[in-house]
Amino acid sequence: MSTYLLVHGAWHSGQCWERVTPLLASAGHRVLAPSLTGYGDKRHLLGPETGLDTHVDDVVRLIAEEDLTEVVLVGHSYAGLVISSVANQLPDRIARLVYLDAMVPEDGESAADVQPATRALIDLAATSDSGWRVPPLPEMEPPFGLFGVTDPADVAWLRTMLSDQPVRCLQQPVRLDNPAVRTIPRTHIHCTVKPEGIPRRPVPAIQPDGTPAQVWELPTGHDCMITMPVELTELLLKLG
């Protein structure tokens, strides 16, 4: 049995994994898919002080409270930053990092460094009435839809779980100053249906642990846990 810890991306909640968690569980694995501070059942905790460090603390605390070891730590989108910093703090508890269509940072980088397009969102928040709220991205025409989701029923369901993103999440830097974090194997899963203007950093052929890069693709939009849960689960089960 493996332990899968699934970390949602910006604007989402742990509910977005609902089609994946039972599939992993039915294969005999333990699965946790928490909502980070400010989302889902923690939506009422959203505030200007909520940042990347808050979300890292959320996951570190959960791992400690549940005494999790040999964790397959999956981070979607923005959560690539979260899982990187979590691994920096708890490298001995992480068996593998999975970057699911995610930001892959270097030490000291923020979301704005990894994905420069987010700087426009930071500027938008600064000029808004709140000064710190970043609303969810708007729905686009197919095939891109709402975070890659195009089925009307799925779009309606996705909207129920979206919250504003605090701007501090995009500004605070990742810490990767623990040499042990470089020894953790990595897997990258890319969703291939994406709009132009949002470039993806190339994955280095050799990963930090010295092994060849493991890069898999899913022919769908960004929220593959909603649009291709079976296929995503099949990939994740290869790691357990």
Side-chain angles (χ1 to χ4, degrees):
M1 183 183 74
S2 295
T3 297
Y4 289 87
L5 179 46
L6 313 177
V7 186
H8 65 82
W11 300 294
H12 291 56
S13 76
Q15 187 182 5
C16 70
W17 302 103
E18 281 191 357
R19 295 176 179 176
V20 173
T21 53
L23 299 178
L24 291 172
S26 67
H29 302 293
R30 185 178 184 186
V31 190
L32 297 93
S35 290
L36 301 174
T37 296
Y39 308 97
D41 59 344
K42 301 181 181 71
R43 184 178 302 211
H44 62 287
L45 300 175
L46 186 72
E49 73 287 347
T50 306
L52 173 62
D53 290 350
T54 311
H55 294 155
V56 173
D57 289 345
D58 287 341
V59 180
V60 167
R61 187 181 310 111
L62 178 62
I63 291 173
E65 289 175 349
E66 297 290 333
D67 194 23
L68 305 180
T69 59
E70 293 297 308
V71 176
V72 179
L73 186 56
V74 182
H76 178 241
S77 195
Y78 152 79
L81 307 179
V82 178
I83 67 170
S84 296
S85 280
V86 169
N88 191 66
Q89 293 190 37
L90 302 174
D92 294 341
R93 291 179 178 259
I94 310 303
R96 180 173 292 272
L97 293 171
V98 181
Y99 291 92
L100 179 58
D101 218 36
M103 299 182 183
V104 185
E106 299 291 340
D107 182 38
E109 289 188 322
S110 68
D113 296 316
V114 180
Q115 182 51 263
T118 61
R119 292 175 183 169
L121 302 178
I122 293 172
D123 294 340
L124 181 64
T127 59
S128 68
D129 291 340
S130 71
W132 61 270
R133 287 179 176 269
V134 181
L137 299 178
E139 185 175 356
M140 304 174 68
E141 293 295 323
F144 308 121
L146 183 64
F147 295 102
V149 178
T150 56
D151 178 82
D154 286 347
V155 169
W157 179 58
L158 175 57
R159 288 190 186 281
T160 67
M161 69 184 77
L162 297 180
S163 301
D164 289 350
Q165 179 86 345
V167 73
R168 281 175 65 85
C169 295
L170 308 179
Q171 296 171 318
Q172 287 187 318
V174 167
R175 295 300 173 208
L176 292 173
D177 53 4
N178 185 344
V181 77
R182 298 182 61 84
T183 67
I184 301 173
R186 298 182 176 191
T187 295
H188 303 262
I189 302 176
H190 293 165
C191 299
T192 61
V193 180
K194 65 185 190 70
E196 296 181 4
I198 304 180
R200 176 185 287 126
R201 279 184 172 177
V203 175
I206 301 299
Q207 292 295 279
D209 68 342
T211 62
Q214 184 178 69
V215 183
W216 295 330
E217 293 185 342
L218 287 172
T220 188
H222 188 53
D223 279 6
C224 57
M225 72 288 291
I226 294 175
T227 59
M228 296 188 77
V230 173
E231 294 83 354
L232 172 58
T233 301
E234 290 173 350
L235 293 181
L236 294 177
L237 286 174
K238 294 180 181 181
L239 308 173

